[in-house]
């Protein structure tokens, strides 16, 4: 199957995610070591582990990413902003912020914009806005994406993984909307190397997955078969 795809090094696309409720400090150490060894773009962890990850990855290439308002996006704007600022103080340089879906569906677009813009402006870091595309209509995805970009987001992210994962069609739609103005992070349910490659070819510039090491090993095994 590897011959069906271009020779793409998927490692630099991967945000190595550890977002289970039971994540431990020992797992954080493992994820950081793996991110450095396999040259992943970032580790993505709960806020409580940002400081540990920042210390472990100090002077190394993988970035420290955390989630804000995760997984529902329904915490207040004040809480989200504080959470983002504290994460940056602890060493995070990338913030995956869950959009307020209730506000979006209620037509409160100014409130959605203001919330994201404040986080972008006050932290000055890379913000990836999680749209949770599986819960939105195509029209709502377009509105949410435009709001995120206007507010200063650096990436549009498909999903938390808690309500379904990334799809090829959603990545293509976001690529069409973004018109290369921002990156696109596909996240949730990425389990095979072929799926990862298909998402990259569809337009994803980052892949959020807890199976980064498995994907690299799958790719290596496919190349050996060839």
């Amino acid at each position: 199957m590897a011959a069906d795809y271009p020779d793409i090094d998927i490692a630099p696309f991967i945000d190595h995610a550890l977002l289970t409720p039971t994540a431990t400090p020992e797992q954080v150490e493992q994820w950081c070591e793996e991110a450095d060894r396999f040259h992943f773009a970032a580790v993505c962890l709960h806020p409580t582990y940002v400081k540990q990850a920042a210390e472990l990855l100090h002077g190394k290439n993988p970035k420290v990413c955390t989630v804000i308002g995760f997984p529902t996006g329904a915490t207040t704007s004040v809480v989200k902003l504080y959470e983002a600022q504290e994460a940056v103080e602890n060493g995070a340089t990338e913030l995956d912020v869950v959009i307020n879906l209730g506000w979006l569906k209620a037509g409160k677009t100014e409130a959605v914009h203001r919330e994201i813009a404040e986080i972008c402006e006050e932290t000055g870091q890379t913000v990836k806005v999680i749209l949770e595309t599986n819960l939105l209509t195509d029209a709502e995805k377009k509105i949410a994406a435009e709001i995120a970009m206007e507010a200063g987001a650096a990436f549009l992210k498909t999903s938390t993984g808690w309500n379904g994962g990334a799809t090829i069609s959603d990545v293509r739609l976001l690529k069409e909307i973004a018109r290369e103005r921002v990156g696109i992070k596909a996240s949730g349910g990425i389990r095979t190397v072929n799926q990862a490659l298909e998402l990259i070819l569809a337009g994803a510039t980052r892949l959020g997955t807890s199976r980064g090491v498995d994907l690299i090993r799958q790719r290596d095994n496919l190349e050996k078969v060839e």
Side-chain angles (χ1 to χ4, degrees):
M1 287 295 292
D4 297 336
Y5 297 96
D7 184 17
I8 297 173
D9 180 5
I10 64 173
F13 289 83
I14 293 174
D15 282 3
H16 197 29
L18 179 62
L19 295 171
T20 61
T22 56
T24 65
E26 290 76 20
Q27 287 177 304
V28 171
E29 185 172 357
Q30 176 188 339
W31 252 245
C32 289
E33 188 277 328
E34 289 171 346
D36 182 46
R37 174 155 46 104
F38 291 101
H39 308 290
F40 293 152
V43 291
C44 188
L45 310 160
H46 289 297
T48 191
Y49 289 127
V50 165
K51 186 174 288 187
Q52 180 189 359
E55 291 172 354
L56 289 168
L57 291 172
H58 179 71
K60 299 179 180 179
N61 288 326
K63 297 177 174 60
V64 177
C65 172
T66 193
V67 286
I68 305 298
F70 189 85
T72 68
T75 47
T76 66
S77 296
V78 172
V79 169
K80 281 185 181 177
L81 180 58
Y82 179 84
E83 188 176 29
Q85 290 173 321
E86 183 184 42
V88 172
E89 289 174 3
N90 287 337
T93 58
E94 298 192 348
L95 307 168
D96 287 18
V97 181
V98 187
I99 200 169
N100 190 312
L101 294 162
W103 283 355
L104 182 72
K105 286 183 174 289
K108 296 183 177 181
T109 55
E110 290 185 7
V112 175
H113 181 281
R114 182 168 58 250
E115 180 174 272
I116 298 167
E118 285 181 349
I119 293 172
C120 292
E121 292 168 6
E122 294 298 325
T123 65
Q125 300 299 323
T126 296
V127 171
K128 310 187 200 96
V129 175
I130 305 175
L131 306 180
E132 204 69 294
T133 49
N134 290 288
L135 300 182
L136 302 178
T137 66
D138 281 356
E140 289 169 338
K141 293 168 195 174
K142 292 177 182 178
I143 293 169
E146 291 292 351
I147 290 171
M149 290 187 291
E150 290 174 5
F155 285 81
L156 303 174
K157 180 177 173 180
T158 61
S159 326
T160 60
W162 289 71
N163 295 286
T167 66
I168 300 297
S169 60
D170 278 339
V171 170
R172 285 175 178 159
L173 177 62
L174 295 181
K175 180 182 179 182
E176 180 183 337
I177 296 167
R179 298 196 302 275
E180 299 185 357
R181 289 176 286 172
V182 298
I184 297 168
K185 179 174 174 179
S187 185
I190 304 173
R191 296 181 175 86
T192 70
V193 66
N194 286 346
Q195 185 184 10
L197 290 166
E198 287 172 357
L199 289 165
I200 292 170
L201 292 173
T205 55
R206 287 283 187 93
L207 302 173
T209 177
S210 62
R211 298 173 182 259
V213 176
D214 288 340
L215 297 181
I216 297 300
R217 288 173 177 163
Q218 287 177 39
R219 181 69 175 185
D220 289 345
N221 287 336
L222 289 172
E223 289 174 350
K224 287 176 184 178
V225 170
E226 287 186 335

